[in-house]
Amino acid sequence: MPLVEETSLLEDSSVTFPVVIIGNGPSGICLSYMLSGYRPYLSPEVVHPNAVLHSKLEEARHLSIVDQDLEYLSEGLEGRSSNPVAVLFDTLLHPDADCGHDHPSVLHWKLEEHQYIPHLVLGKGPPGGAWHNMEGSMLTISFGNWMELPGLKFKDWASSKRRNLNGDRVTPEEVARYYKHYVKVMGLQKNFRENTYITSVSRLYRDQDDSAGLEREISAQQLQTEKSKFIKRNWEVRGYQRVADGSHVPFCVFAENVALATGTLDSPARLDIEGEDFPFVFHSLPEFGAAVSKGKLRGRADPVLVVGAGLTAADAVLCACSSNIPVIHVFRRRVTDPGLIFKQLPKKLYPEYHKVYHLMCAQCCPADSGLFSDYTSFPEHRVLAFKPDMKCILQSVSGLKRMFRLSAAVVLIGSHPNLSFLKEQGCYLGRDSSQPISCKGNPMEVDAYTYECVKEAHLFALGPLVGDNFVRFLKGGALGATHCLAARQKEQQRLLVGGGGDGPA
């Protein structure tokens, strides 16, 4: 759907959206769903297994969860997210899920059209975001029902596609199709624009002495020297949309609020060592998987080097082993490190990952011997360099160096979001402003109950940007942001009806 169907979006600078959402993955989709007027209420026939929480919910049964005190409801809850609203929303949607229970949600949803907040969702591809780019054959870490969004059960969607899930895990391809269908069946398409690429998101300022009230961009130097003179106004979002013939159509839209829902998969993390840009070194699982599936590595005697100790690195190990390609697996942690993700996964539910973990423990390479024929792990090692003759140099924690010839290497040590459209690449929004934003190491600092950035008013951040990497928990960001935006909209309407104020500053 072209972004510029209405020329006013480009030509009329008075067109301002209350909210622009950057990113159309599950975080952006869920926020669009709630901004469209869908509201969660406590179901009359269901009792939450947490008696204290259920008692709190009963106190304001007539109100939607969006309109309740989220801090009060979240108090005392524990879960696998550091964000309290994420834990709250997850326990309402999937009560006691971490205990292995499959209790029904205690919420039911109503569409209240008068609650609609106009918004625009901008994404690079179809709704579903990065899920459309993931390796289609691998299973997701989560169950299908944990990947679902409010109002449409994953099992119901799967059964309509004649696939019987029986509660098991699903492929990213199925998840991507579900998200795309969700936007359509929930009537959210009018808010979504595909093939859009953001180049700049900046705040406009108004001179207090400017009687015409004109908004303009102010240089950083001028803002610093005359800070008290200017009032922050709306956001200006610039970018381009790629159309059918491949050309780029520039656009500029204005927003009172911007929600960042980009995820963190844009830029693979790098080792920053010598030779990392050689063509035999990959930095993504799809690239590596494509090389394997095309037979480029088949029949070679030299092993593949896999760097990393997460689930994506484990997927690469499985991919290589299934094609009878020998593997050298290098990671910095000890195999007994309690922080390894494998230790958090039940063996019965995730047998393939525990197979990799068993290899990591059982087939470590002693300093005085050669490689195993199929797989060899190098715990507490790092890669020092890649050489033009397809060799790599490894170094142990004790300083011992070893060299191996490779057929390929794949570096899978995490990723960073591409926030080049923000000033300072968005670093100033993180908990540590001197470091790039990352899901685990340096998430954006937001208010715990509204998801508004602490260092930038009217800018919200959701999902992996605030440390919630699982779909189960990123839905809490949509609840927190909607709670805040809906309250502000009501306050604006009250001021307008009462004759006070002049709208948002």
Side-chain angles (χ1 to χ4, degrees):
M1 181 183 294
L3 180 66
V4 292
E5 281 185 334
E6 297 179 305
T7 56
S8 60
L9 285 182
L10 280 180
E11 298 173 1
D12 185 354
S13 61
S14 66
V15 175
T16 301
F17 287 91
V19 185
V20 167
I21 303 168
I22 300 176
N24 64 355
S27 293
I29 295 172
C30 192
L31 180 55
S32 175
Y33 176 76
M34 299 186 75
L35 293 180
S36 295
Y38 287 94
R39 291 291 182 265
Y41 288 84
L42 180 65
S43 293
E45 68 277 5
V46 180
V47 176
H48 196 284
N50 183 322
V52 174
L53 176 58
H54 189 79
S55 176
K56 291 180 180 180
L57 294 168
E58 286 283 5
E59 293 172 10
R61 173 182 284 278
H62 62 289
L63 293 177
S64 80
I65 304 300
V66 170
D67 298 316
Q68 296 190 36
D69 185 341
L70 299 183
E71 183 173 1
Y72 173 63
L73 293 178
S74 302
E75 186 180 12
L77 298 178
E78 296 181 354
R80 291 195 293 165
S81 170
S82 59
N83 295 309
V85 177
V87 175
L88 168 66
F89 208 24
D90 178 66
T91 195
L92 295 176
L93 293 168
H94 307 288
D96 285 351
D98 286 331
C99 298
H101 299 299
D102 189 20
H103 295 310
S105 170
V106 298
L107 302 178
H108 70 104
W109 293 82
K110 297 180 181 179
L111 176 57
E112 300 176 350
E113 295 183 357
H114 65 282
Q115 303 278 15
Y116 177 76
I117 297 177
H119 61 280
L120 194 62
V121 185
L122 304 177
K124 295 177 182 176
W131 285 95
H132 290 279
N133 302 322
M134 295 182 188
E135 188 70 22
S137 61
M138 299 294 180
L139 291 173
T140 61
I141 187 66
S142 299
F143 294 122
N145 63 330
W146 288 358
M147 312 301 259
E148 67 192 21
L149 298 179
L152 178 63
K153 290 184 176 297
F154 197 96
K155 287 182 180 178
D156 292 345
W157 170 82
S159 63
S160 71
K161 302 299 177 184
R162 299 182 181 179
R163 184 182 186 275
N164 184 20
L165 287 181
N166 292 324
D168 60 2
R169 290 151 61 204
V170 293
T171 66
E173 182 183 4
E174 291 169 318
V175 176
R177 292 206 310 269
Y178 165 81
Y179 291 145
K180 188 174 181 180
H181 176 77
Y182 182 92
V183 168
K184 182 179 180 181
V185 76
M186 293 300 175
L188 308 179
Q189 306 105 305
K190 66 179 181 181
N191 306 309
F192 281 71
R193 303 295 185 270
E194 301 177 15
N195 302 313
T196 58
Y197 298 79
I198 309 302
T199 56
S200 172
V201 175
S202 58
R203 285 297 283 271
L204 297 177
Y205 293 80
R206 189 180 73 192
D207 190 332
Q208 293 190 80
D209 299 330
D210 187 351
S211 59
L214 297 177
E215 296 180 355
R216 55 194 173 112
E217 286 191 82
I218 305 297
S219 69
Q221 182 178 2
Q222 186 179 5
L223 181 61
Q224 190 64 34
T225 56
E226 304 177 72
K227 195 171 185 179
S228 62
K229 185 180 177 183
F230 299 105
I231 302 173
K232 281 186 178 181
R233 295 293 290 182
N234 292 325
W235 292 96
E236 179 188 74
V237 180
R238 290 184 176 272
Y240 63 87
Q241 185 174 36
R242 194 171 59 199
V243 293
D245 63 2
S247 60
H248 294 172
V249 178
F251 66 82
C252 175
V253 295
F254 299 94
E256 296 167 14
N257 302 277
V258 169
L260 302 173
T262 61
T264 60
L265 296 178
D266 291 307
S267 304
R270 296 173 60 87
L271 298 169
D272 292 326
I273 60 173
E274 175 192 342
E276 194 171 0
D277 290 323
F278 287 137
F280 66 89
V281 181
F282 302 99
H283 288 85
S284 78
L285 184 59
E287 278 185 313
F288 176 69
V292 172
S293 63
K294 292 176 183 177
K296 293 182 178 180
L297 307 178
R298 193 171 296 131
R300 297 194 185 185
D302 297 321
V304 162
L305 173 70
V306 177
V307 184
L311 297 179
T312 308
D315 284 338
V317 171
L318 292 167
C319 178
C321 289
S322 66
S323 296
N324 298 315
I325 300 171
V327 173
I328 293 175
H329 189 185
V330 174
F331 45 96
R332 293 195 176 197
R333 297 189 181 193
R334 294 175 287 110
V335 293
T336 55
D337 190 321
L340 285 174
I341 185 64
F342 308 99
K343 292 182 172 291
Q344 303 171 35
L345 304 177
K347 289 183 179 180
K348 288 184 179 180
L349 300 181
Y350 304 96
E352 76 279 25
Y353 289 128
H354 279 276
K355 175 185 176 182
V356 173
Y357 182 57
H358 174 75
L359 289 172
M360 290 166 65
C361 298
Q363 295 190 195
C364 299
C365 184
D368 56 350
S369 67
L371 301 174
F372 290 94
S373 61
D374 57 345
Y375 170 96
T376 308
S377 72
F378 286 82
E380 298 184 273
H381 277 69
R382 64 190 183 109
V383 184
L384 285 184
F386 294 105
K387 297 298 181 180
D389 57 357
M390 298 185 71
K391 291 180 180 178
C392 71
I393 301 173
L394 308 183
Q395 184 179 45
S396 70
V397 68
S398 64
L400 179 67
K401 296 179 182 178
R402 302 182 67 173
M403 181 179 289
F404 297 96
R405 183 182 293 277
L406 309 172
S407 61
V410 56
V411 179
L412 299 168
I413 55 173
S415 59
H416 299 292
N418 179 3
L419 299 173
S420 59
F421 52 82
L422 293 173
K423 70 177 183 180
E424 301 176 19
Q425 308 278 319
C427 292
Y428 78 104
L429 300 169
R431 293 177 183 172
D432 182 351
S433 60
S434 66
Q435 298 295 320
I437 299 297
S438 65
C439 176
K440 293 182 180 179
N442 189 35
M444 289 188 174
E445 189 176 10
V446 295
D447 181 277
Y449 302 99
T450 67
Y451 287 76
E452 186 173 27
C453 290
V454 170
K455 298 168 185 173
E456 193 73 84
H458 299 278
L459 182 66
F460 297 80
L462 316 174
L465 292 175
V466 296
D468 283 329
N469 221 13
F470 291 107
V471 175
R472 272 180 64 189
F473 297 109
L474 57 77
K475 290 172 279 193
L479 173 60
T482 304
H483 168 80
C484 176
L485 292 166
R488 286 180 181 172
Q489 178 175 258
K490 288 178 182 177
E491 178 63 16
Q492 289 173 20
Q493 292 170 345
R494 186 186 69 80
L495 290 172
L496 289 171
V497 171
D502 62 348

